[in-house]
Amino acid sequence: LALALSRDANGRLQRLDIAANGLASEGAELLCGALAQHPALTYLDMQDNHIGHTGARHAARMLQTNRHITTFNLAKNSIGDEGLKWLLPALVVNATLRSLDLQGNNLGTEHKKQLATILSDTMAERVVNTAHNRRGCPDKFLSPSAQAA
């Protein structure tokens, strides 16, 4: 799959749903490496692949260079607070991403303030879904324009 994606030079692929395929961190590394410069992909669903915090680091690297993805589902991947720590800088530099689903990732409150600050500093309508995580983690974070919508 990663090889096929890297050869999609014309960028025909706009949506990729690879949920529940057992990618683990190694598969996430290959997939995210192939998608880092993909010219047309706007929707990526990687939920329930057990990528852990190491896979979240690969996803974060991809988001720092791929400015086409608007919707990214990373739910149920056990990324934890360590994985969220890797994703936060990617949210700062990637203004294209509008929806990030982090449900059921064992997130706590460690990065709650930083995530809220990142979203409050953006003009774009952005939503980060954090439902079904540890106690104290809100169900979602919204940018000011998403709150107004």
Side-chain angles (χ1 to χ4, degrees):
L1 177 63
L3 180 60
L5 290 170
S6 65
R7 291 186 178 168
D8 185 22
N10 295 328
R12 288 181 226 129
L13 182 69
Q14 295 179 344
R15 297 177 58 90
L16 179 60
D17 184 339
I18 194 160
N21 272 283
L23 289 177
S25 62
E26 298 83 8
E29 180 178 16
L30 293 171
L31 180 63
C32 292
L35 294 175
Q37 299 296 329
H38 197 279
L41 189 72
T42 60
Y43 175 90
L44 178 58
D45 187 344
M46 286 177 54
Q47 74 173 309
D48 198 17
N49 271 295
H50 312 288
I51 67 169
H53 63 87
T54 303
R57 183 177 69 206
H58 300 303
R61 285 184 188 148
M62 183 228 6
L63 287 174
Q64 289 178 347
T65 57
N66 185 313
R67 304 296 166 86
H68 303 284
I69 296 174
T70 58
T71 303
F72 191 13
N73 188 345
L74 275 176
K76 300 184 225 170
N77 270 298
S78 303
I79 68 168
D81 290 323
E82 182 72 18
L84 181 56
K85 179 182 80 174
W86 289 107
L87 289 167
L88 291 173
L91 291 176
V92 172
V93 299
N94 186 326
T96 309
L97 187 67
R98 297 290 180 255
S99 175
L100 177 61
D101 194 335
L102 297 175
Q103 291 185 72
N105 269 299
N106 199 28
L107 302 177
T109 59
E110 184 177 334
H111 301 293
K112 180 168 76 170
K113 184 176 180 181
Q114 191 176 1
L115 182 54
T117 300
I118 289 168
L119 291 182
S120 69
D121 288 345
T122 183
M123 299 300 282
E125 187 173 319
R126 295 175 95 179
V127 177
V128 178
N129 186 344
T130 53
H132 309 292
N133 281 289
R134 292 193 314 243
R135 183 170 293 181
C137 186
D139 283 347
K140 66 174 65 173
F141 291 84
L142 302 169
S143 66
S145 56
Q147 293 173 14

